[in-house]
Amino acid sequence: MTANQIQPRTLYLVATPIGNLGDITYRAVEVLRQCEWIAAEDTRTSRVLLNHYGITGKNMISYYGAREAERAQELLRHLNDGASVAVITDAGTPGISDPAVRIVRLAIARGIPVVPVPGPSALLAALCASGLDTASFAFEGFLPIKSGKRLTSLKRYCAEDRTVILYESPHRIERLLEELESLIPERRIVVARELTKMFEEFLRGTPAEIRARMIGKKLKGEMVVVIPGISAHPLELPPPDADGGSQ
Ligand code: SAM
């Protein structure tokens, strides 16, 4: 048996690109090609992705937040019948701020092997190039939306000794930067946007500096916010270039 050979009655968690379609492993393509079922957050989006790698005609099940419980039972039935099942999401690693945990737990509880097929994840891509401490970090995903809970969480993260990594949607990033501006006005954070894509960019500076740059350039897109721990040495930055010193 090789590591690339698909096993029956096995759940595979397959990481897919977060932007650049070249960021997929040989093994991921092979597993997706061979698995009997592919569970995807958005089957239309994933079919486009699979087509790109020449994978067509697969049995697909949509597996997303609102229907996760029901669809997990369906996947479990296929696994119990001896099928191999791969879970993918719209981007990155399943289970990381994305659906997967429910089917993973059901599979574990029934003794069904769960096999990760690792690859891209926005949190590690942002962290490794942030220049902040990578030895000890906390990934907190998306903040709560409601103001009270959100502020409580943010205060806790800003008091962390470890590097904190947050995901934020494009339409809430300005709000997050304003909140950080009031909590940690002096701290030099990093916003990683459009990772692996054409306009990939690392914005480094205080929350107010980054917000001003984003408003000035009308920057949008997917973003990861990386906050240094409370007692971390401040980021040493070169003087801003004429363009605002984004790298
Ligand atoms: N499962 C994914 C992963 O492994 O990174 C995360 C999915 S989560 C629903 C989507 C969030 O991840 C976005 O709002 C953004 O914060 C972050 N993200 C995903 N792709 C990104 C990219 N190319 N550049 C920057 N952030 C990204």
Side-chain angles (χ1 to χ4, degrees), residues 2-247:
T2 71
N4 285 356
Q5 224 161 17
I6 289 296
Q7 298 301 303
R9 196 176 176 267
T10 299
L11 178 69
Y12 293 87
L13 305 173
V14 182
T16 56
I18 56 169
N20 188 323
L21 293 179
D23 292 336
I24 191 158
T25 66
Y26 290 119
R27 183 172 168 229
V29 172
E30 216 33 62
V31 168
L32 292 172
R33 204 188 297 285
Q34 291 180 38
C35 261
E36 283 162 82
W37 287 91
I38 296 180
E41 220 181 338
D42 180 333
T43 51
R44 271 185 308 179
T45 305
S46 293
R47 270 190 211 282
V48 174
L49 183 86
L50 294 171
N51 276 339
H52 181 83
Y53 305 114
I55 302 168
T56 53
K58 302 298 296 189
N59 295 319
M60 294 191 79
I61 298 177
S62 73
Y63 179 74
Y64 59 97
R67 308 288 291 274
E68 201 178 345
E70 168 200 329
R71 295 294 158 87
Q73 292 298 336
E74 198 177 331
L75 292 177
L76 192 63
R77 278 197 295 279
H78 291 305
L79 286 161
N80 274 331
D81 288 347
S84 50
V85 173
V87 176
I88 57 177
T89 63
D90 288 351
T93 300
I96 305 300
S97 296
D98 263 342
V101 170
R102 199 177 288 259
I103 183 62
V104 167
R105 289 187 179 155
L106 285 175
I108 293 169
R110 279 154 186 84
I112 294 168
V114 178
V115 176
V117 182
S121 191
L123 82 101
L124 288 182
L127 175 67
C128 73
S130 69
L132 302 179
D133 184 17
T134 57
S136 175
F137 62 89
F139 171 62
E140 294 291 348
F142 289 101
L143 285 160
I145 295 169
K146 289 203 173 138
S147 306
K149 278 191 179 167
R150 190 175 165 93
L151 193 62
T152 310
S153 303
L154 258 186
K155 279 185 179 159
R156 189 152 46 84
Y157 303 155
C158 290
E160 256 289 345
D161 224 4
R162 299 173 291 178
T163 304
V164 171
I165 304 159
L166 299 174
Y167 282 169
E168 192 49 284
S169 69
H171 62 277
R172 265 193 291 271
I173 185 75
E174 237 187 278
R175 172 179 170 192
L176 174 56
L177 290 170
E178 277 170 13
E179 289 160 338
L180 290 173
E181 201 174 317
S182 66
L183 290 171
I184 47 168
E186 307 292 329
R187 220 173 304 171
R188 303 184 78 78
I189 64 166
V190 179
V191 173
R193 63 179 283 275
E194 296 287 86
L195 288 161
T196 77
K197 302 184 192 175
M198 173 109 66
F199 297 108
E200 176 180 273
E201 185 173 27
F202 288 84
L203 299 152
R204 305 170 206 275
T206 65
E209 286 167 350
I210 295 177
R211 198 166 73 85
R213 233 179 289 159
M214 285 182 56
I215 293 170
K217 287 170 133 187
K218 295 194 172 65
L219 297 180
K220 295 238 176 312
E222 302 209 85
M223 310 209 192
V224 181
V225 177
V226 193
I227 306 169
I230 192 163
S231 48
H233 288 294
L235 258 183
E236 279 177 31
L237 295 173
D241 57 26
D243 197 29
S246 60
Q247 265 294 329

